[in-house]
Amino acid sequence: MRCSKAVYGAGRGCRAMGQLFHDACFICSVCSEKLSGKPFYSVSGGIYCENDFLYSGVHPAPEVCNSCGVLIMDMVLQARGKSYHPCCFRCAVCSQSLEGQPFTVDSDDKVYCVSDFHRLQAPRCAACRAPILPTEGSTECVRVVSCNRNYHVECYSGEINLI
């Protein structure tokens, strides 16, 4: 708030937004906190401390992290139409950061690194019960399907044993 009175004496005023203010007059429009030497925001003629700017509804359309629910102040990672802190966009199993990494999503909308998704969602071999996974460096796996059962190529014997 500007009082329009002259500012006299060293250390009794501050310069902000191209104007000179008394320290006691340069305050948050919501909570009256003194803002000299602190981060502040000026919106539509009001001056706000960081907390009131972010949490009192003054901040225009804040981005909220879909993972942690906290406002995103820095870089926003957009994935699947949602916003995340880059450090919050992680695999649901191993917690590896997925920023800039390939990822996939299951039917419950959980995010996974590709290797964990394959491990969890891969079909199981009817012979050895191990998951049928892509070979190293590949994104696709080869399997044999016989009588509605899945097999590793090396596990399939060609014999049909009906139980």
Side-chain angles (χ1 to χ4, degrees):
M1 304 289 168
R2 191 164 167 87
C3 69
S4 301
K5 295 181 182 172
V7 178
Y8 296 105
R12 300 190 72 193
C14 64
R15 182 169 295 280
M17 303 176 301
Q19 299 178 32
L20 192 60
F21 292 86
H22 292 106
D23 281 339
C25 295
F26 189 56
I27 59 173
C28 175
S29 299
V30 174
C31 69
S32 300
E33 175 184 357
K34 289 184 181 181
L35 298 174
S36 181
K38 297 180 180 175
F40 68 91
Y41 300 85
S42 176
V43 178
S44 303
I47 302 169
Y48 303 92
C49 67
E50 189 169 34
N51 195 51
D52 285 328
F53 175 72
L54 296 174
Y55 300 107
S56 71
V58 176
H59 186 274
E63 294 280 356
V64 175
C65 179
N66 189 65
S67 180
C68 72
V70 174
L71 286 174
I72 303 171
M73 298 302 298
D74 304 327
M75 192 166 75
V76 177
L77 187 149
Q78 294 280 329
R80 305 166 32 249
K82 298 175 183 169
S83 300
Y84 298 86
H85 293 105
C87 63
C88 290
F89 191 63
R90 299 185 168 278
C91 173
V93 174
C94 69
S95 297
Q96 169 191 342
S97 172
L98 297 174
E99 180 182 8
Q101 301 296 316
F103 67 91
T104 189
V105 180
D106 70 7
S107 59
D108 293 327
D109 215 24
K110 290 183 182 173
V111 180
Y112 299 92
C113 64
V114 173
S115 62
D116 281 337
F117 182 80
H118 281 304
R119 249 185 338 95
L120 293 172
Q121 302 295 328
R124 300 242 170 222
C125 177
C128 72
R129 296 287 188 223
I132 302 171
L133 301 171
T135 57
E136 183 90 21
S138 176
T139 58
E140 296 180 5
C141 58
V142 178
R143 65 184 168 150
V144 175
V145 179
S146 177
C147 297
N148 290 326
R149 292 177 162 174
N150 297 295
Y151 297 89
H152 291 105
V153 172
E154 58 274 14
C155 291
Y156 183 66
S157 65
E159 297 175 19
I160 300 175
N161 296 326
L162 297 175
I163 299 174

